[in-house]
Amino acid sequence: MAHDHHQHHGHHEAHGHTHTDLDWAEQGPMLEAQAELYTPAYEQALAWLAEEVPAPKLIVDAGSGPGVVACLFAQAFPQAHVVAVDGAGPLLERARERAEQQGLGDRFSILTGELPDVLGKLDRPVDLLWASRSLHHLGDQQAALTAFGEHLAPGGTLALLEGGLPARFLPRYIGIGRPGLQSRLTALEEEWFARMRAGLPGAVPETEDWPALLTAAGLRPTRTRSFLLDLPAPATDQARAHVATTLTRLRDAAPDDLTPEDRTTLDRLLDPTDPASVHHRPDVFLLDAYTIHTAVRPA
Ligand SMILES: C[S@@+](CC[C@H](N)C(=O)[O-])C[C@H]1O[C@@H](n2cnc3c(N)ncnc32)[C@H](O)[C@@H]1O
């Protein structure tokens, strides 16, 4: 998934408001379900990170949301302490509950506050800082990356998950409506994403050349790799639910941006009583790619 647009539901940022706990807290169940579905891709990514950072003592998940991935870190690095950091307190409570349920509570803590400044509350330098789809919610991404880098231990690693490919879950032609629906939705998402960024407090337009930004942050880029989530048809109920949630969000985010024909098609795709809906159709799949860039703080 190249981007996420959860916040567009309420158009908060588009109207110039800052991020609030409530907005993100509402996204908790969706973020949690998505991260659970994407766990096979995260597990591959974490194994790849472990090649570069075999024994981190302190791992920070900057913008962890409800903590599914932070808990995967705690499992993959059994000697590490993991701190889940987020602006949304209710999501961090979910993270803490999850860690406790998984028996990870003694190696897991939470830190609530605005990134990147809240990292100043850490009492130790960080060996592995993971920032997944959170940097693009900060107005000045270069300044935030520089601040992230300053909290790394010498030789510590920053792992940034940004970009990749837009998720696909329907064939080009689905037998109803105008062919190419999902590509048109992806184009609209790019527009919405640009509006979201422009509306962030202190927004700075920035070329999304992540290794270059990491270099400008005083770090040494080490590796870039993309991880595939490949759940072929027929989709599981969990994957269908994710597809339905995503399409609902896209349909409702900016209804006027869609043609009447595409809106009708989306209504059919989302109607559980319609055999052509994503709840029943046999051709639903989930194919997605996440890109991770790593960089090291010089010793
Ligand atoms: C799209 S979610 C990503 C969650 C998770 N890392 C993932 O990849 O699924 C973005 C997260 O960043 C957090 N966030 C956004 N802006 C923030 C800010 N200014 N300070 C702290 N957290 C923020 C949100 O609360 C949310 O949990």
Side-chain angles (χ1 to χ4, degrees):
M1 124 162 3
H3 303 313
D4 54 86
H5 305 279
H6 321 304
Q7 71 286 358
H8 290 113
H9 259 322
H11 303 272
H12 306 281
E13 284 153 334
H15 290 178
H17 296 278
T18 56
H19 147 92
T20 68
D21 287 1
L22 188 64
D23 302 333
W24 284 109
E26 282 171 2
Q27 307 302 326
M30 196 271 289
L31 288 171
E32 218 165 313
Q34 179 173 341
E36 285 170 358
L37 190 60
Y38 279 63
T39 289
Y42 287 124
E43 283 175 342
Q44 280 182 36
L46 268 54
W48 176 76
L49 282 176
E51 295 167 7
E52 183 170 341
V53 195
K57 293 190 288 289
L58 181 61
I59 299 174
V60 166
D61 184 346
S64 66
V68 176
V69 179
C71 287
L72 292 177
F73 270 99
Q75 281 164 357
F77 296 93
Q79 77 297 340
H81 188 93
V82 176
V83 184
V85 182
D86 205 279
L91 297 185
L92 289 180
E93 288 306 325
R94 299 281 304 172
R96 196 204 322 254
E97 278 167 29
R98 185 178 195 92
E100 273 161 19
Q101 278 162 10
Q102 296 183 4
L104 304 165
D106 56 337
R107 294 191 292 112
F108 195 95
S109 36
I110 59 175
L111 178 59
T112 313
E114 287 292 305
L115 287 166
D117 295 354
V118 67
L119 297 178
K121 294 189 181 164
L122 295 168
D123 60 1
R124 280 173 288 157
V126 182
D127 301 299
L128 176 57
L129 193 150
W130 166 256
S132 165
R133 306 187 302 140
S134 51
L135 185 72
H136 64 243
H137 292 291
L138 307 182
D140 189 340
Q141 298 178 102
Q142 180 68 74
L145 275 183
T146 302
F148 287 178
E150 284 164 0
H151 291 284
L152 288 177
T157 297
L158 200 162
L160 180 67
L161 189 159
E162 289 288 348
L165 295 173
R168 280 302 298 245
F169 32 76
L170 290 168
R172 185 191 63 87
Y173 182 52
I174 56 174
I176 54 173
R178 187 175 155 223
L181 172 68
Q182 215 183 339
S183 294
R184 290 192 295 285
L185 292 175
T186 299
L188 288 178
E189 280 192 281
E190 297 284 351
E191 299 295 330
W192 298 334
F193 188 84
R195 290 209 290 270
M196 179 281 286
R197 280 227 36 92
L200 286 175
V204 177
E206 193 73 80
T207 303
E208 291 165 358
D209 178 347
W210 306 111
L213 296 179
L214 289 162
T215 302
L219 305 175
R220 182 172 52 83
T222 37
R223 300 187 299 173
T224 293
R225 201 181 132 180
S226 297
F227 295 88
L228 199 66
L229 182 74
D230 180 8
L231 304 178
T236 61
D237 288 348
Q238 197 191 10
R240 286 180 192 277
H242 171 72
V243 168
T245 305
T246 306
L247 286 180
T248 303
R249 178 165 54 72
L250 294 173
R251 181 190 62 181
D252 298 345
D256 297 341
D257 290 354
L258 296 166
T259 64
E261 185 181 13
D262 281 349
R263 265 210 308 275
T264 303
T265 307
L266 278 169
D267 286 343
R268 285 200 64 185
L269 283 170
L270 289 166
D271 176 359
T273 66
D274 191 327
S277 78
V278 296
H279 303 281
H280 304 293
R281 51 187 309 126
D283 55 5
V284 175
F285 59 90
L286 182 52
L287 185 63
D288 204 344
Y290 279 165
T291 302
I292 301 175
H293 306 273
T294 58
V296 171
R297 179 172 184 168

